[in-house]
Amino acid sequence: MTDTPTPDQTNDRHREKMQKRKVARDKIMASKTEERGLIIVHTGKGKGKSSAAWGMAARCIGHGYKIGIVQFIKGRGDTGEHMLFTKFPDQVTYKIMGEGFTWETQDRERDIEMAGAAWKESKKLMADPEIRMVILDELNIALRYDYVDLDDVLDTLAHKRADLHVVVTGRNAKDELIELADLVTEMTLVKHPFREGVKSQPGIEF
Amino acid sequence: MTDTPTPDQTNDRHREKMQKRKVARDKIMASKTEERGLIIVHTGKGKGKSSAAWGMAARCIGHGYKIGIVQFIKGRGDTGEHMLFTKFPDQVTYKIMGEGFTWETQDRERDIEMAGAAWKESKKLMADPEIRMVILDELNIALRYDYVDLDDVLDTLAHKRADLHVVVTGRNAKDELIELADLVTEMTLVKHPFREGVKSQPGIEF
């Protein structure tokens, strides 16, 4: 017959195991000393690519940093993120430069013109030494349709200020951008309510 | 010799193609009429699970909704999300109920006690008819270690108010929770700078 450990023994064993884990973890964390501006990419077919960027925007605003946001595709200003972040005009420069997805605008030349203007604005924000994070929302879409020159984007990001974080969102991120980035997350769709007749709702999708 | 389309022809073809796409898309969107509170799960080993929840919190706050946030594991109050969202005390109830990960606390009984208190608080927030969204940050971790009873969570979520959104984050979401959820995203790690000696930075990880 095996001895069943008493709750006290279980708790002691747990503590011992966790103490060992903490020592190992502290050692790993101590080796991570570098602070640097990151190139972050959120891509994939799942939800949460832009939301996670807004979450980082929220974190930056909470810490008192200045940030820049450029939306390359989406054109509406009645989103929750826009309504919240524009309450902090001293910290947030928010540029809605898109006019909708390609099937909404139906005008390729106009799309290219708008994307060019958005990219110009993005470069301006990235050049501002006071800005800690620039979010380029849906830039991946503009790159995919060749609305913005990939080489120019790669070159600009490769030569960005060392302490600037840049977050790029959108499906189908270019391989060259993934290669250049520090942190890449793919949002994978597991289940989506759109498939079941549920419409886009405030607070969730916008 | 093939005729090369003039830019005008290209633009016309683009417009025609996009008009067709818009008709198809409008038809799909018109079939999506239901508004309902969703059970949303962010899981996976990648980054962005909590950030995407904070993004939705930001959207809700922007729209003027009331929300509740319960943090099951993380115990620090100096995060950007906490500093920003607590600027809106009329809209946000923010409960930091964790004391850190298991290897930090090293006390299983205390962890269970804290998680129980956090779950009790979560139920209270979910029962408040004024609250539109409740975020249960890292609940998946508490479920994984059996700190909170899975059946109780499933039962509570299955019987939640029809118009309440609930967002659950954390790695290793239980299969039963994924089954019950409306919208599930797996954040997949493609590239992570921690591996290269970069430490956790304000605005990015907290």
Side-chain angles (χ1 to χ4, degrees):
Chain A
M1 201 181 128
T2 332
D3 280 343
T4 310
T6 64
D8 265 6
Q9 282 174 323
T10 313
N11 213 29
D12 284 352
R13 279 181 205 169
H14 173 83
R15 186 174 296 121
E16 202 178 309
K17 199 171 137 193
M18 290 304 133
Q19 272 169 352
K20 278 188 191 152
R21 192 178 294 180
K22 184 166 163 41
V23 169
R25 202 174 160 89
D26 286 350
K27 204 169 159 183
I28 294 171
M29 296 315 280
S31 73
K32 299 181 186 319
T33 51
E34 195 190 344
E35 283 208 3
R36 71 156 190 258
L38 302 175
I39 299 171
I40 298 171
V41 176
H42 297 164
T43 193
K45 288 183 184 171
K47 307 281 293 177
K49 299 182 287 293
S50 295
S51 307
W54 308 145
M56 286 192 283
R59 284 177 165 156
C60 283
I61 298 168
H63 284 292
Y65 302 148
K66 289 194 178 183
I67 63 169
I69 297 171
V70 180
Q71 294 198 274
F72 277 77
I73 304 288
K74 290 173 235 164
R76 59 195 290 181
D78 63 343
T79 63
E81 58 271 26
H82 187 254
M83 290 189 279
L84 176 63
F85 298 152
T86 50
K87 286 186 201 294
F88 301 88
D90 294 345
Q91 286 180 258
V92 183
T93 307
Y94 199 128
K95 300 281 178 183
I96 300 174
M97 307 290 288
E99 295 184 329
F101 287 94
T102 47
W103 59 83
E104 288 160 338
T105 59
Q106 304 182 11
D107 185 340
R108 188 175 154 79
E109 283 182 9
R110 175 89 183 138
D111 286 348
I112 291 172
E113 197 183 302
M114 293 299 293
W119 176 237
K120 202 175 154 189
E121 193 61 47
S122 307
K123 289 213 257 191
K124 215 173 102 188
L125 290 168
M126 288 189 274
D128 179 343
E130 291 203 339
I131 287 183
R132 180 77 165 247
M133 177 182 282
V134 173
I135 295 172
L136 306 174
D137 189 44
E138 306 283 10
L139 172 59
N140 288 337
I141 311 285
L143 285 170
R144 188 176 188 211
Y145 288 105
D146 291 320
Y147 291 172
V148 174
D149 182 53
L150 177 62
D151 289 334
D152 189 10
V153 169
L154 295 173
D155 187 64
T156 306
L157 293 183
H159 296 98
K160 72 169 185 63
R161 252 185 16 250
D163 63 344
L164 174 73
H165 300 299
V166 179
V167 184
V168 178
T169 78
R171 290 182 179 210
N172 301 110
K174 293 278 184 183
D175 290 341
E176 296 90 335
L177 179 61
I178 290 175
E179 187 55 39
L180 179 68
D182 301 288
L183 169 58
V184 180
T185 305
E186 186 175 337
M187 276 64 174
T188 311
L189 185 77
V190 180
K191 242 184 178 183
H192 195 315
F194 264 30
R195 298 198 169 158
E196 297 164 28
V198 175
K199 69 180 194 180
S200 168
Q201 296 177 86
I204 306 288
E205 279 91 3
F206 62 91
Chain B
M1 200 182 129
T2 334
D3 279 343
T4 310
T6 65
D8 265 6
Q9 282 174 324
T10 314
N11 213 28
D12 285 351
R13 279 181 205 170
H14 173 84
R15 186 175 294 120
E16 202 179 309
K17 199 172 138 195
M18 290 304 132
Q19 273 168 351
K20 278 188 191 152
R21 192 178 293 179
K22 183 166 164 44
V23 169
R25 202 176 160 89
D26 285 349
K27 203 169 158 184
I28 294 169
M29 296 314 280
S31 72
K32 300 182 185 316
T33 51
E34 196 191 345
E35 283 208 3
R36 71 155 191 261
L38 302 175
I39 300 171
I40 298 170
V41 176
H42 296 164
T43 192
K45 289 184 183 170
K47 306 283 293 177
K49 299 181 288 293
S50 295
S51 307
W54 308 145
M56 285 192 283
R59 283 177 167 156
C60 283
I61 298 168
H63 284 292
Y65 302 149
K66 289 193 178 184
I67 63 170
I69 296 171
V70 180
Q71 293 198 274
F72 278 77
I73 304 290
K74 290 173 236 166
R76 59 195 291 181
D78 63 343
T79 64
E81 58 270 27
H82 188 253
M83 289 190 278
L84 177 62
F85 298 152
T86 50
K87 286 186 201 295
F88 301 88
D90 295 344
Q91 285 179 258
V92 183
T93 308
Y94 200 127
K95 300 281 178 183
I96 300 174
M97 308 289 288
E99 295 185 330
F101 287 92
T102 48
W103 59 83
E104 287 161 338
T105 60
Q106 304 182 12
D107 185 339
R108 187 174 156 80
E109 281 183 9
R110 175 89 183 140
D111 287 347
I112 291 172
E113 197 184 302
M114 294 298 293
W119 175 237
K120 203 175 152 188
E121 193 61 47
S122 307
K123 289 213 257 191
K124 214 172 101 188
L125 289 168
M126 287 189 274
D128 180 342
E130 290 204 339
I131 287 183
R132 181 76 165 248
M133 178 182 279
V134 173
I135 295 171
L136 306 174
D137 189 45
E138 306 284 9
L139 173 60
N140 288 336
I141 311 285
L143 286 170
R144 189 177 187 210
Y145 288 105
D146 291 321
Y147 291 172
V148 174
D149 182 52
L150 177 62
D151 288 334
D152 189 9
V153 170
L154 295 173
D155 188 64
T156 305
L157 293 184
H159 296 97
K160 72 168 184 62
R161 251 184 18 249
D163 62 344
L164 173 73
H165 300 299
V166 178
V167 184
V168 177
T169 78
R171 289 181 181 211
N172 300 112
K174 293 279 184 183
D175 291 341
E176 296 90 334
L177 179 61
I178 289 175
E179 187 56 40
L180 179 68
D182 300 288
L183 170 57
V184 180
T185 305
E186 186 176 337
M187 276 67 173
T188 311
L189 185 77
V190 180
K191 242 183 175 183
H192 195 315
F194 265 30
R195 299 200 169 156
E196 297 164 28
V198 176
K199 70 179 194 180
S200 169
Q201 296 177 87
I204 305 288
E205 279 90 5
F206 62 90

